[in-house]
Amino acid sequence: MPLIFDIKRFSIHDGPGIRTTVFLKGCPLVCMWCHNPESQSSALELIFRPDRCIGCGACVEVCPGEAITMEEWRSITNWERCTHCGDCVDVCYTGARELAGREMTVGEVLEIVERDRPFYEESGGGVTFSGGEPLSQPDFLEEALEACQKVGLHTALDTSGHALWEVVDRICPYVDLFLYDVKFIDDALHKKCTGVSNELLLDNLRRLAELGHSIVVRVPIIPGVNDAPADVQALGRYVTNLPGVTRIDVLPYHEIATEKYRRLGREYALQNQLTPSDNVMQNIACMLREFGLEVRVGG
Ligand code: SF4
Ligand code: SF4
């Protein structure tokens, strides 16, 4: 059964119009700046919010791995011992402990997506599948996209494209718009910052473009990581040579993830990283426009 970690209604940054975005769990990339760390693993994960803990001690009693101890008035989790079994979640009534990820059927997802149909129709919106990397759950994704298209919903796929072409090819017929994330053209930098080569994802992007699919390239801008003029120009050159791809959205990095990493018992690699200023974003947009591309800041 596929794992969904969030469904966001009334989203306005994940494709045209008002949309519902369905976030699938699991991603083959580990981007240094990932602001959804709970999306990376394809398994259920414990999230612990110390500020909600009232120190009742119920979780200590049920933890099979003895991963929880009490310190003063609240519980402490030993993340090395935690197996993410979820037993503590069942007894924690304050919501201090919860599991990231929920098994859902296509029917259950569609029922939620359908709730906002009038807004999609009014605004030209629809449904977007995101993640994590949605292509890492291809069976569910294909079935869900097909089901959405069958009932007349506009479908978008927010993807890094890091999957075998056979997988991309399978879901293509059910995607109205690809929101295709590209971080770097330089492969060494891509490997260093995401853990994987960009060869596969750039190859898939080119093949999709050659087949005439609707694609918006999306680039997160992280100061000091991929905002150097040489990186931006390499990107502009690459995209302008893709047949039919005319638009790039540049998305400013936002420092919103530190607390999320803490709740998962992990370190955030980009602590103290600053958000790019409006000026920086506008300069990057100008550089890309020189390649004849339509550029939107923020998507
Ligand atoms: S069960 Fe919840 S509220 Fe009670 S000690 Fe554990 S985390 Fe805190
Ligand atoms: S999820 Fe982790 S902390 Fe909670 S009961 Fe299971 S092993 Fe213990």
Side-chain angles (χ1 to χ4, degrees), residues 273-295:
Q273 171 71 57
L274 296 175
T275 297
S277 66
D278 286 348
N279 256 352
V280 166
M281 293 305 295
Q282 289 308 330
N283 284 342
I284 288 172
C286 279
M287 267 188 262
L288 291 169
R289 284 187 190 114
E290 281 172 18
F291 290 90
L293 296 160
E294 179 194 348
V295 184

Side-chain angles (χ1 to χ4, degrees), residues 130-156:
S130 182
E133 172 46 70
L135 292 171
S136 62
Q137 298 193 45
D139 295 339
F140 173 82
L141 183 65
E142 183 182 12
E143 196 188 332
L145 283 165
E146 188 180 5
C148 290
Q149 269 199 347
K150 246 188 202 153
V151 294
L153 294 169
H154 178 272
T155 60

Side-chain angles (χ1 to χ4, degrees), residues 46 63-64 67-68 77 81-88 97:
L46 177 69
C63 178
I68 310 174
T77 305
R81 295 188 73 111
C82 175
T83 58
H84 304 271
C85 68
D87 288 1
C88 57
R97 291 174 179 273

Side-chain angles (χ1 to χ4, degrees), residues 242-291:
L242 291 170
V245 180
T246 55
R247 183 175 141 198
I248 295 191
D249 291 353
V250 284
L251 315 171
Y253 165 84
H254 285 293
E255 201 280 302
I256 52 170
T258 306
E259 190 51 35
K260 283 190 180 184
Y261 280 83
R262 222 173 273 141
R263 289 173 187 166
L264 289 159
R266 290 198 226 149
E267 285 279 324
Y268 184 34
L270 286 194
Q271 277 188 49
N272 307 321
Q273 171 71 57
L274 296 175
T275 297
S277 66
D278 286 348
N279 256 352
V280 166
M281 293 305 295
Q282 289 308 330
N283 284 342
I284 288 172
C286 279
M287 267 188 262
L288 291 169
R289 284 187 190 114
E290 281 172 18
F291 290 90

